[in-house]
Amino acid sequence: MCEGSGVAIGEAISINQTLTSLYLKMNSCGDEGAAAIAKALQTNKTLRHLDLAGNNICTKGGISMGEALEMNQTLTHLDLRDNRFNKMILLCRGIAEAKC
């Protein structure tokens, strides 16, 4: 999968009302794809489990995910292992603000 595919997946997530789990491990969605998926997570109300491990996500994509976590109240599991950003970004941006 390329970054453009991540954009298409983000668009699908934003309108989907039934999907609860999505496994995209090792798909190279990169920062652009991660940003599109993160944007969709801000409004998605059904997705609970998202696996983006090993997707070549760097700092920009990590920040996008952190911002999404500030808004999303349904996601309970987000796997971002083996990407290329400091996971503390998420703690500083989203998890600290999450309404758990």
Side-chain angles (χ1 to χ4, degrees):
M1 181 171 91
C2 64
E3 290 195 27
S5 299
V7 172
I9 289 171
E11 291 171 1
I13 292 170
S14 68
I15 60 171
N16 187 287
Q17 298 178 4
T18 57
L19 187 68
T20 59
S21 296
L22 184 58
Y23 299 89
L24 297 172
K25 185 175 184 177
M26 304 296 288
N27 276 293
S28 299
C29 77
D31 283 340
E32 183 181 346
I37 292 169
K39 182 178 178 184
L41 289 176
Q42 292 180 8
T43 57
N44 181 280
K45 304 277 190 258
T46 59
L47 196 63
R48 304 228 183 273
H49 185 111
L50 178 59
D51 186 342
L52 291 173
N55 270 281
N56 200 31
I57 300 170
C58 297
T59 301
K60 183 178 176 184
I63 290 171
S64 296
M65 282 292 154
E67 292 170 349
L69 293 176
E70 291 178 26
M71 307 283 295
N72 185 289
Q73 296 182 5
T74 56
L75 195 66
T76 59
H77 180 86
L78 176 60
D79 189 344
L80 292 168
R81 288 178 289 170
D82 302 321
N83 281 292
R84 300 174 53 199
F85 66 93
N86 185 332
K87 306 315 181 272
M88 290 301 292
I89 292 168
L90 293 178
L91 292 173
C92 295
R93 298 291 301 188
I95 295 172
E97 298 293 323
K99 297 168 183 69
C100 298

